[in-house]
Amino acid sequence: MFIVDEKTGDITLTQGDTGEYVVSGLPIDQNYTVYLAIQDANRNPVGDELVATANLRSSVSLKFTAALTDLLTVKKNNDTETYYFGVKLCDKLGNEDTLLLANKQIGDQNTITVYPKKVEGI
């Protein structure tokens, strides 16, 4: 299961599952690179940043692999665990801009709610 709430931009997933996060509304005046990073509750990075090149398109798709979501663990006594993520738009001149997603305001958190893995699969 991998669900993106269209109103908030937040993600709900099951540990070990795959999915994609689409970032829309990008400027198309140059070839931007988009990065997505995940942090735990203590602001420690989890896994490698996801990266996609916009190629002058107004949206990109960032792929969540099973290997990445496997790193999003749920404590044994918890039903879910909450992680946080941010998305940054970068250009070739070194300019960087952290994006506000969906209806978020400055300071709002983008969340990933993780349910524990139920089956291993492939």
Side-chain angles (χ1 to χ4, degrees):
M1 168 188 71
F2 189 100
I3 300 168
V4 177
D5 183 309
E6 295 199 19
K7 290 183 182 178
T8 66
D10 294 336
I11 300 169
T12 302
L13 62 86
T14 300
Q15 179 190 12
D17 285 2
T18 59
E20 69 177 346
Y21 193 85
V22 177
V23 179
S24 300
L26 302 174
I28 56 170
D29 60 320
Q30 52 184 302
N31 193 20
Y32 291 97
T33 303
V34 178
Y35 296 87
L36 184 148
I38 301 171
Q39 297 179 341
D40 66 16
N42 297 315
R43 295 187 182 169
N44 297 312
V46 178
D48 294 330
E49 290 187 359
L50 302 178
V51 62
T53 304
N55 294 322
L56 302 175
R57 294 177 309 216
S58 63
S59 67
V60 296
S61 176
L62 297 154
K63 307 290 184 185
F64 281 70
T65 64
L68 174 60
T69 66
D70 248 346
L71 301 174
L72 305 176
T73 59
V74 179
K75 292 181 184 120
K76 199 167 197 168
N77 294 330
N78 292 355
D79 292 332
T80 64
E81 199 70 46
T82 302
Y83 291 84
Y84 304 91
F85 71 98
V87 177
K88 187 172 272 194
L89 183 68
C90 301
D91 68 21
K92 292 184 181 186
L93 299 175
N95 297 308
E96 301 185 15
D97 186 26
T98 300
L99 301 179
L100 296 174
L101 305 172
N103 63 355
K104 303 286 185 175
Q105 302 296 313
I106 293 175
D108 289 347
Q109 296 284 355
N110 305 307
T111 63
I112 302 174
T113 302
V114 181
Y115 285 86
K117 182 186 292 190
K118 295 176 177 61
V119 61
E120 188 59 44
I122 302 172

